[in-house]
Each structure stands twice: as structure tokens, then as C-alpha cells.
Amino acid sequence: MSIIEEQNEYINKIKKYNEEKNKKFKYYILTMGCQLNENDSEKLCGMVEKMGYEKTDNPNEADLILFNTCCVRENAEDKLFGKLGEVKKQKEEKGAIIAIGGCMMQEKHITDKINKSYPYYDLIFGTHTLYRFPEDLYKVILNRKKQEDILDIDGEIYEGLPIKRSDNQKASVAIMNGCNNFCTYCIVPYVRGRERSRKPEDIINEITSLASEGYKEITLLGQNVNSYNGENGVTFAKLLEKIVKIDGIERIRFISPHPKDFTDDVIKVIAENEKICKIIHLPLQSGSSNVLKAMNRRYSKEQYLNLVEKMKKQIPNVLFSTDIIVGFPGETEEDFEDTLDVVEKVKFEQVYMFIYSRRVGTPADKMENQIPEEIKHKRFDRLKELVEKQTEINNEKYLGTIQKVLVEGTSKNNAEMLTGRTESNKVVIFEGEKNLIGTTKNIEIIENCLWYLKGKILN
Ligand code: 5AD
Ligand code: SF4
């Protein structure tokens, strides 16, 4: 029996056990962090729904409470501890099962703290043992005994886990896991392990079946997506070439690439294929060559700007989004101004801004020249101000243009209106019939509302 078949047996055993109780069992899930974690949560949801649990958004009515954690920045820790406090009553009074998984569980100081301060949990599982969740949960249910299932060695990638997707137009597909880069601020290589790429045929099969289910847009995921290195010498560029040939898929995105690995063949594939969105997420982190060196990013300010220029030349109308950290140890006023300078020059469509957060076990945490919180916050606000100013100007350029929009559904705030996204990921709201959902339409942009655009369907 394969590992996944074995887990399926556990899923069936739990299903049977729950059915015998003659009660509708419910689960609640909270996902923190990046899209890879969201994708892991879709797998968790797939497993527990197969066990017969029904989803609820209210932890107070759940029989199974799942936390899928992230540890990239400190605020997620505070959030988890707060939530663990909140669900204590549900456990004590109603006997709910509390399961905590994900990146944070790979950190010993965190599991120690949970064992000390929140000992009422039932199951802790890590990033390398997600596939074993049914077995671990079964042991909890059967023995009513706490389980801790964490592996320090890199887990294999197992194919064929059940999955419950959160959307029916757009889907994310993890193509690789882990990271070998060891940027000095980042905890990811320690909690997700080394890079492991899925087999190209497994990826192609997954996307082909997504297309046959009606999915139109896919986002390829990996901590370092462009270092994909599949069997038989399939590089990221070659993988993209295979994916664009899949009928039915209209849009392809990928996150997050590393600038140092952005090879010319990838640029060429993007330029030559209409399906690949012409907005590239290119994490900058800092605009200062000194800080980049201390971060171990392996590119300088000039190299980053040259890469952007090269892409602008070779990919007509390409746009960029980015991640930036402010307040890395040793960042001077001059260094910070270099970051502002790159933002001014590149004119990103979107900037995800982060205040540097010390992560236990990373080299940057041990650096002596940490930046005082007050300065970090002031710099963050200055960057935010510049980014907001640019967004406003950026949005103006859409006015009067015709954008290809994938119609995703009705607007959350106004059920009479439809909503969708441009290739550059801007939200557009417009009037239209519900039967257009799932199609791609040409929309003329008629109004700029800062966080979204208003448009009119053209026939
Ligand atoms: N502090 C702040 N931001 C961080 N990121 C990663 N590690 C840290 C940290 N210690 C940011 C980076 C990365 C994004 C996912 O999170 O910008 O690209
Ligand atoms: Fe972290 Fe750098 Fe790896 Fe991204 S590339 S996951 S920032 S170590």
C-alpha cells in the first residue's frame, strides 16, 4: 500500500467513527501566511472534508479546530497565542480537538512555549508531516492522547493528497518546496527545508485536470519558484513552456522568483507566451547594495535595476510587484533612501512592505546593529507614503484603457455588480450578467477608486 493509500485508510476510519456518532461534525481552520500555506490548508480541508467534517467560520461551534501557522514575522506568533487562548473554553466545555500545524511548529522554542502555556492542544504537526495528518488525528481520536509529529529532516513531496480548493476559477499549484538561499533575515530555509521539486508530469497532470474542471487561472508556487529543477533536466523555463500548452488555462502566474535566478530563457518564455501574465513579482527586499550584501541576497542595486531594464526591453508592457523589508540591521538613512530610489525608478504596481522582524536562529538576529523600533516605523511610514502616491498615479494610467478581465464572481460589497482582475491583478468592478462568471472579457476602465477600478464591458 502506498503512503497516501495508507492515509486514505485513516480518513475512512475517522469517517466511519464520526458517522457512528450520528452527529454532524464541524471544523474550523485559520490559515496564516503565504500562498504556499494557503495551498497546504486546501489539502488539510480536502482531508478533513473527506472524513465527513463540514466547514464552519465560527470556532465556537467546531469539533475540530485547525491552525495552520506561519513564522516569517513575529505578529503571526502573537496571533496564534491569542487564538489558542480563545479556543480553550471550546476544548474544555465541548471537547473540541485542537490541532496546530505549519511552519511555526518547526521551531522548538515555539512548541516549548505551547507545551508550557497552552498544554491543552491535541495535535502538533510540522511542515514535513502534513500528509500524515489523518493518521495523527486518528490516534488523537482513538487514544484521546496528545500527539506531536514533527520531523527535522526534509519530508518527501507526496502526490495525490485530497484537496478542497477555495476558488473555482483560480487555483494555486505548488511546484517546489523549500529554499536553499539562506537570506540572513529569513526563517523559511530552517522550517521548510531544502529545495525539492515536483516531477514535471505530476505538475502537468494536476494542471490538466484543473483545466478540465473549468479552472482558468493558475499560480505556480514555490519559495524560490524559478529554481525549479525537475526530473530529466526540466528547468523552470521548460516547465512554463509545457504549461502554456495546456488547453483551457488562460492565465499563468508564479510566485516568488528570486532575482538572482531570473534567467534569460525564462524572460523569453514570458515574452513569447500570451498566457503568462505580464506582471512579475520580483522581491527587492532592499534597494541598498550594502544591505543586500548583509542580507545575502546575492545581487546589488544595480544588478536589480539592470534586470528590470532588461525585462522591460524584452517583454512589452511588463509590470512589477515586489516585497520590501525596512529596518534590517545596520540599515542607514542612506541605505533606506536607496530603497526609496528603486521604488521611484521601477514604479511597482504593488509593493508588499514589511518591518524587519527578528527571527530566532537566523544570522540577522545575531547582528549587533539592530535598528530601534521607532526608526523602523518611521521609515515604514515614509515608504508607505511613497507607495501610496505611486499607486494613485499608476491607477490613472488605466483610465480609458481596455483591459482583459477574468470574471471571478459578484462583488462582495454589491451583489448587483461583477468583479474580476486585470492581468496586472487590479480588481475591476462592472455591471454584467452572472453567466459571464468564468469568462474573460474586454473591459473599458471608466473610474479609478484607488483600491479598485470601475469598468464597462465592451462587446
Ligand atoms: N522580517 C520581515 N520581513 C520578512 N520577510 C521574510 N522574513 C522577514 C523578516 N524576518 C518578508 C520578505 C519576503 C516576504 C515573504 O516576507 O520580504 O519576501
Ligand atoms: Fe527566505 Fe530568501 Fe528563501 Fe525567500 S529566498 S524563502 S526570503 S531565504
Side-chain angles (χ1 to χ4, degrees):
M1 205 191 307
S2 79
I3 304 262
I4 294 301
E5 280 164 0
E6 221 175 283
Q7 293 307 312
N8 257 323
E9 296 266 296
Y10 285 107
I11 289 178
N12 290 334
K13 280 184 192 169
I14 297 174
K15 187 167 184 232
K16 201 160 157 253
Y17 180 92
N18 282 352
E19 276 168 1
E20 280 164 9
K21 291 270 175 303
N22 247 335
K23 172 188 162 192
K24 196 72 221 156
F25 282 88
K26 292 189 173 168
Y27 79 99
Y28 165 85
I29 185 163
L30 175 73
T31 310
M32 301 167 181
C34 66
Q35 289 203 38
L36 268 154
N37 242 24
E38 297 277 352
N39 188 253
D40 280 350
S41 280
E42 290 184 331
K43 290 174 186 150
L44 280 168
C45 292
M47 293 188 251
V48 299
E49 292 197 11
K50 254 184 116 177
M51 294 169 190
Y53 289 91
E54 205 173 79
K55 195 170 183 173
T56 168
D57 291 330
N58 179 3
N60 297 328
E61 59 173 39
D63 305 283
L64 172 63
I65 298 172
L66 285 165
F67 295 116
N68 189 10
T69 65
C70 160
C71 58
V72 167
R73 287 171 297 273
E74 191 179 358
N75 42 12
E77 281 165 26
D78 301 337
K79 188 169 173 185
L80 174 68
F81 297 139
K83 288 282 171 194
L84 281 175
E86 283 172 28
V87 297
K88 187 176 182 196
K89 238 174 99 193
Q90 182 68 1
K91 159 89 202 210
E92 285 173 349
E93 292 175 5
K94 308 251 180 70
I97 294 172
I98 301 174
I100 322 166
C103 295
M104 220 190 279
M105 298 308 108
Q106 295 291 139
E107 296 182 287
K108 178 133 189 345
H109 70 280
I110 298 284
T111 49
D112 284 350
K113 177 162 177 175
I114 292 177
N115 274 312
K116 190 162 164 266
S117 309
Y118 310 90
Y120 47 85
Y121 73 85
D122 295 279
L123 168 61
I124 280 180
F125 57 102
T127 54
H128 303 302
T129 47
L130 179 90
Y131 73 95
R132 254 189 341 229
F133 179 77
E135 182 176 349
D136 290 333
L137 184 65
Y138 183 72
K139 286 180 184 158
V140 168
I141 294 175
L142 200 73
N143 310 330
R144 266 291 161 180
K145 223 176 115 212
K146 252 203 258 200
Q147 291 286 320
E148 221 178 285
D149 188 8
I150 294 169
L151 272 182
D152 278 335
I153 50 161
D154 297 348
E156 271 182 57
I157 298 182
Y158 292 105
E159 296 295 337
L161 283 180
I163 186 157
K164 173 78 196 334
R165 307 235 173 225
S166 58
D167 193 288
N168 39 28
Q169 316 290 339
K170 303 190 286 186
S172 56
V173 175
I175 63 165
M176 54 96 66
N177 215 325
C179 181
N180 295 350
N181 288 327
F182 291 92
C183 300
T184 55
Y185 52 81
C186 187
I187 192 76
V188 166
Y190 306 90
V191 296
R192 288 263 180 188
R194 295 298 70 71
E195 289 172 4
R196 285 147 287 152
S197 295
R198 283 175 72 195
K199 286 187 191 146
E201 61 176 274
D202 289 331
I203 298 169
I204 300 300
N205 288 343
E206 182 177 345
I207 299 174
T208 307
S209 71
L210 283 168
S212 68
E213 286 167 46
Y215 283 89
K216 298 284 186 303
E217 177 175 321
I218 54 150
T219 302
L220 307 175
L221 303 177
Q223 262 94 21
N224 203 351
V225 76
N226 54 342
S227 338
Y228 175 81
N229 181 13
E231 246 177 18
N232 302 326
V234 176
T235 57
F236 185 56
K238 287 187 183 149
L239 182 71
L240 283 174
E241 275 171 357
K242 290 178 192 285
I243 295 172
V244 293
K245 295 202 184 100
I246 300 175
D247 282 340
I249 298 297
E250 291 176 15
R251 272 184 179 173
I252 301 161
R253 305 182 190 274
F254 55 88
I255 45 171
S256 278
H258 195 300
K260 78 171 168 51
D261 300 320
F262 224 108
T263 46
D264 289 349
D265 53 355
V266 175
I267 299 178
K268 192 162 171 272
V269 183
I270 300 171
E272 287 173 356
N273 288 285
E274 219 192 311
K275 287 184 180 179
I276 305 177
C277 292
K278 303 297 178 275
I279 178 155
I280 309 294
H281 186 67
L282 197 63
L284 168 68
Q285 313 300 4
S286 167
S288 150
S289 296
N290 290 335
V291 174
L292 287 167
K293 194 157 199 281
M295 286 177 163
N296 191 30
R297 290 290 290 174
R298 287 174 273 180
Y299 54 84
S300 63
K301 175 184 181 183
E302 287 66 37
Q303 282 168 324
Y304 184 93
L305 288 173
N306 287 342
L307 177 63
V308 166
E309 276 318 303
K310 181 158 86 179
M311 285 162 87
K312 280 186 176 166
K313 260 200 211 114
Q314 295 180 21
I315 311 171
N317 300 322
V318 70
L319 299 167
F320 295 92
S321 61
T322 201
D323 291 347
I324 292 176
I325 299 175
V326 298
F328 183 81
E331 182 188 72
T332 62
E333 173 62 25
E334 222 185 340
D335 291 325
F336 176 64
E337 280 169 15
D338 270 328
T339 298
L340 297 180
D341 185 45
V342 176
V343 172
E344 297 247 15
K345 288 199 165 98
V346 180
K347 301 194 171 45
F348 296 103
E349 279 294 299
Q350 207 167 4
V351 181
Y352 298 91
M353 298 168 273
F354 308 106
I355 291 176
Y356 169 69
S357 172
R358 295 176 78 161
R359 305 287 71 210
V360 175
T362 59
D365 182 44
K366 297 184 195 85
M367 293 179 184
E368 276 166 15
N369 41 7
Q370 300 288 328
I371 306 293
E373 286 302 315
E374 198 194 320
I375 297 184
K376 284 195 216 171
H377 281 89
K378 277 201 177 130
R379 287 186 186 157
F380 182 86
D381 290 344
R382 280 168 65 196
L383 175 63
K384 192 163 160 254
E385 203 178 306
L386 172 63
V387 167
E388 279 175 3
K389 202 176 84 199
Q390 283 197 332
T391 310
E392 231 179 85
I393 301 169
N394 252 343
N395 276 1
E396 292 296 325
K397 74 169 185 269
Y398 284 91
L399 279 181
T401 62
I402 293 160
Q403 299 286 323
K404 254 195 186 150
V405 171
L406 173 62
V407 188
E408 291 174 15
T410 52
S411 161
K412 267 192 202 126
N413 299 326
N414 182 354
E416 299 296 299
M417 303 284 275
L418 294 177
T419 179
R421 280 176 193 263
T422 63
E423 196 178 311
S424 59
N425 229 354
K426 283 253 181 278
V427 175
V428 186
I429 311 278
F430 47 94
E431 276 177 23
E433 297 296 326
K434 293 206 174 61
N435 61 7
L436 296 180
I437 296 171
T439 63
T440 306
K441 286 275 146 201
N442 283 329
I443 308 263
E444 184 185 345
I445 305 303
I446 52 175
E447 199 181 332
N448 164 19
C449 307
L450 192 59
W451 300 116
Y452 64 94
L453 303 166
K454 265 197 190 147
K456 199 173 77 192
I457 296 183
L458 298 179
N459 289 316

